[in-house]
Coordinates of all heavy atoms in Angstrom, one line a residue:
Y138 N 125.8 51.6 143.0 CA 125.0 52.8 143.0 C 124.1 53.0 141.9 O 122.9 53.3 141.9 CB 125.9 54.0 143.4 CG 125.1 55.3 143.6 CD1 124.7 55.7 144.8 CD2 124.7 56.0 142.5 CE1 124.0 56.9 145.1 CE2 124.0 57.2 142.7 CZ 123.6 57.7 143.9 OH 122.9 58.9 144.1
E169 N 115.2 78.2 112.2 CA 115.9 77.9 110.9 C 116.5 76.7 110.9 O 116.8 76.1 109.8 CB 116.9 79.1 110.7 CG 116.4 80.5 110.5 CD 116.2 81.2 111.7 OE1 116.3 80.6 112.8 OE2 116.0 82.4 111.7
A409 N 113.7 100.1 138.9 CA 112.9 98.9 138.9 C 113.8 97.7 139.0 O 113.4 96.7 139.7 CB 112.1 98.9 137.6

Side-chain angles (χ1 to χ4, degrees):
Y138 180 98
E169 294 88 348

